[in-house]
Amino acid sequence: MRKYLFLILLSFQGLLAQVQFEARVSKTTLGLNERLRIDFIMNIDGDNFIQPSFDGFRIIAGPSQQVSQSWVNGRSSFEKIYSYYLLPNQKGNLVIKQAAIEYNGQVYKTSPVKITVTAAIEEPKDPNDTSISADDNLYLIADISKTNPYINEPITVVYKLYFSHNIGITNWRELNKPKYNDFWSQNIDIKQLVAEEGMFKGEKYRYIVLRKTVLYPQKTGKLNIEPLSMDIDVQLPTNRRDMFGRVVITEGNKRVSAGAKTITVRQLPEAGKPEDFTGAVGNFDFKVTPSKTNLKNGESLDLVVSVSGKGNMKLFNLPKPVVPNALEMYDAVHTDQVNTSLAGMTGKISDSYTIVPQYKGNYPVKPMRFSYFDLSTGTYKTINSPEIMINVLDGPTDTRTTSNPNNTKSKSVIAEQFKYVKLATNLTPVKRTDFFGSTMFYSLLFLPFLILPIVILLKKKKEAIDGDVVGNRIRRNNKLAKKYLSEAKKQINNKELFYVALEKAMHNFLKAKLHIETSEMSKDNIKELLLNKNSDPDAVADFIALTENCEVARYAPSSSASIQQDFDKAVSIISVLEKQI
């Protein structure tokens, strides 16, 4: 009686045991320069752990795995932990989404975790610590050539990273790129980053030019340039020395920002502004050049309107020529040969018009005007092109005259144009058939009665499939084995992820073929079950050896050739066991 009571109590205790899977964080509010630890804790040995995407964070360490199991007063406790260390990439309210595991065919997920990231905080310093900090030895500066330009006057922004001789820089990443709203902007390519010497805050510093940008303001008033922010990996010397007397170097991390900048843009003066001014600012030369002035019947010419010089070449329109009606002018073909450097845009832009004469005669192209604002003198200037005379040497003579309302000849021409239009019609109705009693009517009427038995059969088949718990588990494990084998092939160039996926593929293959769970996957048990299935002993030994090798190879050095060999070997062994089982 006591024996049965003890078994009943154990069964009742197993029913009360619940699967627990949760996410715990070291803090829910942290500064932009602080680290966050997050632990995913489970009280069961779950499979196929899927980490969240960690949007808004950067993983700086992890995942690390810890497993512990203990027995106290006849009761067992199990705990598995996946740990990560994260660094936030931005301020605001961030959410760490759900992680997931699989256990006994069920998927368990953690609850989302809300994290508040504030501005970087000042970390307290140890007064006894004399080691060098990156705070006083690393600066990101934005040099602006002019803070009160005219509209469409070029200015430059050069971002420089200054660092002292006391620290070293190993890597950097852009967190927030600068935004130039209400500016036309052009980045200048930097072919090679070179550290140079320069004075900063009265001391000698090294600096690197990270970015060069040319800006043309397109709006007057105060315009803001959003800051460039970077994450810098640095090497810092400490006040400790190793056994050989050398200074111990530590790896550190520092986030720097160039700060927001404000540009006050001035309006161009109204005094002396020409009526035909289209916004050209700089120093220019204006020309109107015909390809030829003497034409024969059927020939054409190209009239090129061009502006060359230095200024906002891409930000204004060229004037359009005016030609007589006897000359047919086609739309312009625009070309530009403009280079952009730190000094601004220089080069040439042009519009080429194709002109075709219709009649014999002499036709003038009126003079053209081009106005611009000269930054060097602070005044408006206008360039006039000369009148161009086009001589058409032969062809039909222009006999067009003004219209005469009493001209009977034009009236007769109009009448001739419409004499073929019929005013009377003889339309007949299109033959119609009634829908009621047609083939389509009876097809739609009896179609539901034909579909109903098919729906019932499909429903019964689905209920039978849903009731087959063992079969569903086998099919699910088969799918997982194929999924992770495919994932291993994709990650063949990433050693650690490759062996994780390969190990999961082999485990799920065993679950599908031997109908076992994770807790039953001991070496002896797997070997015994496979041999009972009439499997080849050599194939069984190779399968177990490869399974054990996945955990070791994940951290051991290996070449791409050995990884490819392990993948091919896994595919071969699984194929052999599939046929034998």
Side-chain angles (χ1 to χ4, degrees), residues 152 274-280 312 315-319 370-372:
N152 273 318
E275 293 182 358
D276 59 351
F277 178 71
T278 58
N312 59 333
L315 303 175
F316 60 84
N317 296 322
L318 294 173
F370 174 72
S371 301
Y372 67 93

Side-chain angles (χ1 to χ4, degrees), residues 101-108 473 476-477 480 511 517:
I101 58 170
E102 294 182 8
Y103 182 71
N104 285 340
Q106 296 289 331
V107 177
Y108 298 90
R473 185 182 302 171
R476 181 171 56 253
N477 289 330
L480 287 174
K511 290 181 181 180
E517 298 300 328

Side-chain angles (χ1 to χ4, degrees), residues 304-336:
V304 180
V305 181
S306 63
V307 169
S308 59
K310 177 182 178 182
N312 59 333
M313 305 290 293
K314 299 181 180 180
L315 303 175
F316 60 84
N317 296 322
L318 294 173
K320 186 175 181 180
V322 178
V323 299
N325 293 333
L327 301 179
E328 184 176 0
M329 185 173 68
Y330 293 89
D331 292 337
V333 176
H334 183 81
T335 58
D336 64 73

